[in-house]
Amino acid sequence: FKEFETCPENENIFVTGTTIALYRLSTMPFMKPTIAHKIAVIVEDENNFFPGCQSEVCLGEGSLAIYVDGKKITKPGDYQLGNEGRIIAHNTYSACSRRWFDFQVKDDEDENNRNLHRKAPLDFLIEDQGEMLDPNMCNKWIRSRARDGDLFNQNGGWSTIHIETPAISFHVEYRQDEENCYSHSIDAYISQVASVYLEEEWQGVLGETRNPKFYPDGKPVTSERSYLLNAKNDSDYEVDGPFGNKFAARIENSVSSSS
């Protein structure tokens, strides 16, 4: 998180980095899953805006970088993770920036694996049209990219990243602003998940807000933290490192479930 002083009070703290650990299941019984890939999407310099590209095209006008297993990526492109997934990163016309949305359910993980590498990069953008800030304007931009075949040649200060695997997919939107106030912002959320994982118990903020909650009078809870989350303190949800999965609220929930 980063507080940007030129932005309005109570609207001046934004996420400037997000990390995702993709796990590989063991073929040996009773063996724990191991991390297959570590992915980090970060703002390189939180105090610098639209710094410019060292090459002809770069992500976020030079502000954004993706690290995959320690390897730095700054150019738009289609990056393969073997059979385990792919990362599609490109700069985004503002009308095409996607709003937050609920994840979709993937029915067949094996079919997802087959389709994962068949889809053209532009297909991911086309599928997003219904949730974009301005679908009509974006559709014109998409048609131009399809005609010219230049999705990865677009420069710009906003970027979109699709992290796709057979089991789960993530959508990352990056924006920077120097007109209203100087700021960087990264939004990341699950876009799709295989149906088999819906049967598992989810932990953390995502798990505790996954299903609707209601007040005693039946009205839905939409913003009151004390009703939405089990733990009292924000620090209870802080993990033990960039790719960690242990945090106080998870341990407390596990103890409560087993007792």
Side-chain angles (χ1 to χ4, degrees):
F1 292 95
K2 166 72 173 177
E3 180 177 351
F4 293 95
E5 296 179 353
T6 62
C7 296
E9 188 177 359
N10 299 323
E11 299 178 12
N12 58 354
I13 297 178
F14 300 101
V15 174
T16 56
T18 186
T19 58
I20 297 170
L22 302 179
Y23 282 78
R24 181 185 296 120
L25 295 177
S26 174
T27 58
M28 301 294 291
F30 310 113
M31 294 291 290
K32 293 183 178 180
T34 56
I35 294 180
H37 299 287
K38 294 180 177 180
I39 302 169
V41 181
I42 64 171
V43 174
E44 287 281 81
D45 184 350
E46 297 172 334
N47 299 310
N48 198 5
F49 304 89
F50 300 91
C53 303
Q54 295 183 356
S55 58
E56 291 184 0
V57 183
C58 63
L59 292 169
E61 285 287 345
S63 291
L64 194 66
I66 306 170
Y67 289 85
V68 181
D69 302 326
K71 180 181 178 181
K72 183 177 179 179
I73 296 171
T74 58
K75 294 182 179 181
D78 185 354
Y79 300 94
Q80 302 291 323
L81 300 176
N83 294 326
E84 295 166 318
R86 64 195 287 202
I87 298 173
I88 298 94
H90 59 83
N91 290 316
T92 303
Y93 177 42
S94 59
C96 296
S97 184
R98 189 167 184 174
R99 298 169 293 187
W100 184 91
F101 62 101
D102 288 330
F103 61 80
Q104 299 174 337
V105 178
K106 300 179 178 183
D107 293 325
D108 187 337
E109 190 171 344
D110 290 334
E111 181 65 20
N112 294 333
N113 193 23
R114 289 189 290 270
N115 291 334
L116 180 63
H117 299 281
R118 294 176 183 171
K119 292 171 65 175
L122 199 60
D123 290 340
F124 294 96
L125 186 59
I126 292 172
E127 290 176 355
D128 288 347
Q129 286 185 78
E131 306 293 340
M132 292 170 177
L133 296 180
D134 190 335
N136 292 330
M137 288 295 293
C138 181
N139 187 49
K140 296 178 181 179
W141 188 79
I142 290 175
R143 289 202 303 267
S144 297
R145 304 290 70 75
R147 181 194 65 216
D148 300 336
D150 61 355
L151 176 63
F152 296 141
N153 294 329
Q154 301 300 304
N155 261 316
W158 292 17
S159 303
T160 296
I161 301 165
H162 299 270
I163 301 171
E164 303 287 326
T165 79
I168 192 168
S169 298
F170 299 91
H171 188 107
V172 182
E173 288 285 341
Y174 165 71
R175 305 177 182 93
Q176 61 186 319
D177 187 1
E178 62 178 1
E179 296 181 2
N180 301 304
C181 64
Y182 288 98
S183 63
H184 298 281
S185 173
I186 291 177
D187 291 320
Y189 39 83
I190 294 174
S191 55
Q192 291 185 321
V193 63
S195 57
V196 64
Y197 296 104
L198 297 180
E199 302 172 4
E200 296 186 358
E201 182 181 6
W202 293 20
Q203 296 282 357
V205 174
L206 183 62
E208 293 176 19
T209 59
R210 175 180 161 193
N211 298 313
K213 294 185 178 181
F214 301 90
Y215 292 109
D217 62 3
K219 293 182 179 179
V221 180
T222 58
S223 61
E224 194 167 351
R225 188 195 185 286
S226 61
Y227 280 89
L228 288 171
L229 300 179
N230 297 335
K232 295 181 180 180
N233 304 310
D234 291 347
S235 59
D236 292 331
Y237 297 92
E238 294 179 0
V239 294
D240 54 346
F243 297 97
N245 58 14
K246 296 179 181 179
F247 50 95
R250 177 179 182 178
I251 296 172
E252 291 174 5
N253 290 342
S254 298
V255 172
S256 299
S257 299
S258 61
S259 60

